[in-house]
Amino acid sequence: MAKKTKSKTKSKATRAKKSVQRPKGKSPARSSAKQRRAKGATPQSFVSAAPTQDASTGKFLADLAKVAYRAASTSPLAKQVADAALARATEAAEGLAAGMVDTVADKVFGSNRRRQKGQQNGHGLPEPSAKPWGQAGKALDGVRILDFTHVQSGPTCTQLLGYMGADCIKVERPGVGDITRGQLRDVKGADSLYFTMLNGNKRSITIDSKNPKGKEILERLVKHCDVLVENFAPGALDRMGLSWERVNELNPRMIYASVKGFGPGPYEDCKVYENVAQCAGGSASTTGFRDGPPLVTGAQIGDSGTGLHLAWGIVCALYQRTRTGRGQRVLCAMQDGVLNLTRVKLRDQQRLKHGPLTEYSQYGEGIPFGEAVPRAGNDSGGGQPGWILKCKGWETDPDAYIYFITQAPVWGAICDLIGKPDWKTDPDYATPPARLPRLKAIFATIEEWTMTKTKFEVMEECNAVDIPVGPILSMKEIAEEQSLRDTGTVVEVDHPTRGKYLTVGNPVKMSDSITEVQRSPLLGEHTEEILQKELGYTTEEVAEIKTSGAITAPAKPASAEAA
Ligand code: CAO
């Protein structure tokens, strides 16, 4: 068996070696246009027939694709050639990489070591970088995002991609921009925190998408970028002439990612904001106290939660594109995103058929369940009962509380700590099922103890004996928490018009993709830079674009100051 593996490995390596020894002059890439015409070949068929086992041909195909893409906006033929060349170059690169990785692996590990590693033979990946951790670029370096997002859900998504290194080109309406620039303003004349905290690590270009020249620039951007992200009301992007079909025609590799309020169905045309999604996704009906109205939560699970889901979908689509070479639509409905985050309540809905939900405190209180999952106040929602308890100072400090979990394995430690050692053996308290009908009274007794200490003292004493508790931290305390600054979760950023502000950095820490949090862009700050450096417009062309009204504010700009 071992022998078989070895010979297989060897023959692969030999094949790879042989292929790079192919006489360069014989590559069809070098045959003349005259020869090709004589054979009746089209440029595309020629490209498609090029061998992909040859490094120099692979490189030639990649270069050809680059050149052809430059001409693609004016010539459909150039576009076809570019697409064919790129597809073939990718195949060549994949084939060569696989061969090379095999050869390198043999050199580095020897064939025995490679066998031990089983299938871990590179899978077409390049040789591991020799650069120190954190110095080999960022996870999404080279990914270009056409960021057509506004308000919160879409911008959350693109900011996360920006934190991971993607180049986010945010398109905004001239003179107006993302409506949140002017919403909830705290500093006169400066972009609001609503905007700045959701649009870091992006560049801003102003384009009037309804101006003919503006449309032309947008089409160039579509061809230039890898991902289009948008969260307009249903149909708005189609009305701009950027339907999925059109975008796919312009750039078959583009991933077209959208946030909408609802998926296909009776509500698909509705405009949706955060709290609408929280209500329609099942969160509000299960949040709050049983005897009170439904409640929305302060965590923006509809907006930021959906943005996060969309970012995940985009990264998966980018990965799939490395195999298929084509883009796809990625849709995340806010209702679906909220439901995904509220899935434990759908779990409980199904459990209801089989009896009462014994971990809900209403069970212990003897209150019958109805047909739908009830609001459970501060019940923990898991199998370990928990509740929010007062701590020292609660009379004046609205956040002097702690979340206390009576986790079964540490029940003995809880009893000792609160001065009730007899509960450890008392049949009414010793087991989790015995405690369930008494939870209210148990938590009231624990509270007598927590009220003698600050939330941080409770935290310290409980954690010393592994009792899980959580202090209710105010936003003031979070803003001042040094450990969150140290990890880059809370970051202070400097802004040219509003000065220093705090933002939330990347909540995901990666050992080889280090996040640098940058301030949000001013409206249109990068318009000329993007037109010239990314899209290749000349200085004269940019001057013409300016006079066309495609990138400048109309004479009477609409008010950015919104409710
Ligand atoms: N140039 C010219 N016009 C532009 C433009 C540009 N650069 N950018 C946007 N516009 C236009 C759009 O084309 C659209 O015009 P038409 O309706 O005339 O075609 C218009 O601006 C506004 O689009 P909208 O309908 O999306 O904006 P709205 O303020 O009325 O609605 C919202 C906002 C959030 C309710 C809606 O966009 C929506 O439902 N989005 C999907 C769900 C979502 O993401 N919600 C979360 C919002 S965060 O709480």
Side-chain angles (χ1 to χ4, degrees):
M1 183 66 187
K3 218 171 184 179
K4 213 174 168 191
T5 318
K6 192 174 176 185
S7 65
K8 209 174 164 190
T9 309
K10 232 184 177 174
S11 68
K12 246 192 178 179
T14 319
R15 271 206 309 277
K17 209 173 163 198
K18 261 190 189 163
S19 66
V20 288
Q21 286 168 347
R22 180 193 289 273
K24 284 185 179 172
K26 292 237 165 115
S27 163
R30 302 203 161 217
S31 64
S32 71
K34 206 171 161 193
Q35 281 171 316
R36 291 197 313 271
R37 274 198 300 277
K39 285 183 200 159
T42 64
Q44 300 96 295
S45 64
F46 160 70
V47 164
S48 302
T52 54
Q53 307 89 334
D54 179 327
S56 61
T57 311
K59 187 178 174 314
F60 169 79
L61 287 166
D63 288 343
L64 174 64
K66 243 192 240 166
V67 174
Y69 270 123
R70 270 189 220 130
S73 60
T74 48
S75 153
L77 180 62
K79 170 80 174 49
Q80 285 165 18
V81 172
D83 285 343
L86 195 57
R88 210 69 182 139
T90 308
E91 251 181 81
E94 279 169 2
L96 286 166
M100 281 191 281
V101 168
D102 282 355
T103 318
V104 171
D106 270 347
K107 271 196 191 137
V108 177
F109 303 125
S111 47
N112 281 339
R113 170 74 194 276
R114 251 187 88 214
R115 265 202 313 282
Q116 279 166 18
K117 283 169 72 73
Q119 292 306 305
Q120 294 173 28
N121 61 357
H123 297 291
L125 292 174
E127 192 182 348
S129 170
K131 291 187 178 165
W133 295 108
Q135 288 178 33
K138 301 209 173 87
L140 295 181
D141 267 351
V143 174
R144 288 185 288 227
I145 312 278
L146 174 49
D147 180 351
F148 238 133
T149 66
H150 66 154
V151 207
Q152 188 182 162
S153 61
T156 304
C157 165
T158 50
Q159 179 168 266
L160 285 168
L161 299 174
Y163 281 169
M164 291 299 185
D167 180 10
C168 296
I169 300 177
K170 179 162 172 122
V171 177
E172 297 182 83
R173 201 192 316 211
V176 181
D178 186 326
I179 194 165
T180 59
R181 283 186 185 268
Q183 281 183 330
L184 311 176
R185 263 195 180 137
D186 56 330
V187 178
K188 204 166 182 246
D191 288 332
S192 70
L193 286 166
Y194 193 173
F195 177 83
T196 52
M197 289 181 70
L198 287 165
N199 289 284
N201 295 45
K202 301 180 188 179
R203 298 195 279 170
S204 166
I205 179 171
T206 48
I207 305 175
D208 180 351
S209 63
K210 288 168 184 158
N211 174 299
K213 196 73 191 168
K215 282 181 192 290
E216 182 201 302
I217 300 168
L218 276 173
E219 292 206 344
R220 271 216 208 183
L221 271 171
V222 166
K223 288 176 193 156
H224 182 73
C225 292
D226 300 280
V227 187
L228 183 157
V229 191
E230 64 95 18
N231 67 308
F232 288 121
L237 212 61
D238 294 2
R239 290 195 288 280
M240 285 183 198
L242 289 176
S243 63
W244 153 247
E245 291 75 18
R246 176 67 184 143
V247 167
N248 186 246
E249 186 182 50
L250 289 168
N251 179 0
R253 288 171 192 279
M254 176 156 269
I255 290 150
Y256 187 100
S258 306
V259 169
K260 294 289 166 260
F262 292 93
Y267 305 122
E268 63 188 320
D269 292 327
C270 299
K271 289 189 177 184
V272 168
Y273 283 105
E274 170 70 44
N275 290 342
V276 177
Q278 285 199 24
C279 294
S283 173
S285 71
T286 51
T287 304
F289 289 88
R290 198 185 54 252
D291 47 5
L295 277 188
V296 293
T297 154
Q300 305 285 282
I301 57 176
D303 279 339
S304 289
T306 309
L308 184 55
H309 282 98
L310 192 72
W312 172 72
I314 289 169
V315 173
C316 292
L318 279 168
Y319 186 73
Q320 189 173 4
R321 194 181 70 165
T322 61
R323 289 200 320 274
T324 62
R326 66 184 182 208
Q328 61 184 298
R329 284 195 88 162
V330 179
L331 169 69
C332 197
M334 293 169 74
Q335 181 185 39
D336 301 5
V338 170
L339 176 59
N340 186 37
L341 299 177
T342 318
R343 67 170 54 219
V344 295
K345 298 295 177 177
L346 186 57
R347 172 200 68 194
D348 293 349
Q349 181 62 41
Q350 297 171 83
R351 288 171 60 222
L352 262 182
K353 280 190 214 133
H354 306 282
L357 306 171
T358 53
E359 78 282 15
Y360 281 51
S361 43
Q362 93 174 62
Y363 168 73
E365 292 164 34
I367 298 166
F369 285 79
E371 287 187 354
V373 174
R375 291 184 270 291
N378 287 319
D379 285 335
S380 77
Q384 310 290 349
W387 200 256
I388 287 184
L389 307 177
K390 290 172 183 155
C391 293
K392 197 189 222 168
W394 67 272
E395 299 89 340
T396 50
D397 177 356
D399 298 307
Y401 287 84
I402 193 128
Y403 198 92
F404 198 105
I405 299 175
T406 53
Q407 193 198 10
V410 289
W411 177 245
I414 295 172
C415 298
D416 289 337
L417 205 60
I418 64 169
K420 288 277 178 193
D422 48 313
W423 277 5
K424 287 191 277 186
T425 47
D426 185 333
D428 282 350
Y429 296 92
T431 63
R435 291 195 288 273
L436 279 178
R438 299 175 177 79
L439 283 178
K440 207 171 173 183
I442 289 172
F443 281 121
T445 307
I446 300 174
E447 194 171 56
E448 282 170 24
W449 177 77
T450 58
M451 279 164 68
T452 63
K453 301 180 185 295
T454 68
K455 60 189 174 189
F456 298 111
E457 286 166 350
V458 176
M459 181 80 179
E460 213 171 300
E461 290 192 37
C462 285
N463 276 301
V465 285
D466 281 343
I467 302 168
V469 289
I472 309 303
L473 292 184
S474 69
M475 273 299 154
K476 181 172 182 299
E477 286 164 331
I478 286 175
E480 290 164 359
E481 174 61 51
Q482 190 54 44
S483 65
L484 293 176
R485 303 286 183 102
D486 295 344
T487 55
T489 296
V490 175
V491 185
E492 190 173 73
V493 191
D494 207 357
H495 188 274
T497 56
R498 67 167 302 116
K500 291 195 161 78
Y501 67 95
L502 289 184
T503 192
V504 182
N506 193 346
V508 182
K509 318 296 182 205
M510 313 245 289
S511 63
D512 208 11
S513 178
I514 310 302
T515 301
E516 294 156 61
V517 177
Q518 293 154 11
R519 69 165 171 87
S520 62
L522 299 172
L523 179 59
E525 185 176 342
H526 306 96
T527 303
E528 291 189 26
E529 172 185 305
I530 292 165
L531 289 176
Q532 296 195 322
K533 293 202 184 132
E534 300 290 338
L535 302 181
Y537 284 104
T538 62
T539 316
E540 295 73 38
E541 285 170 328
V542 171
E544 270 172 41
I545 292 171
K546 276 186 188 160
T547 54
S548 74
I551 58 170
T552 43
K556 271 191 178 176
S559 170
E561 205 73 56

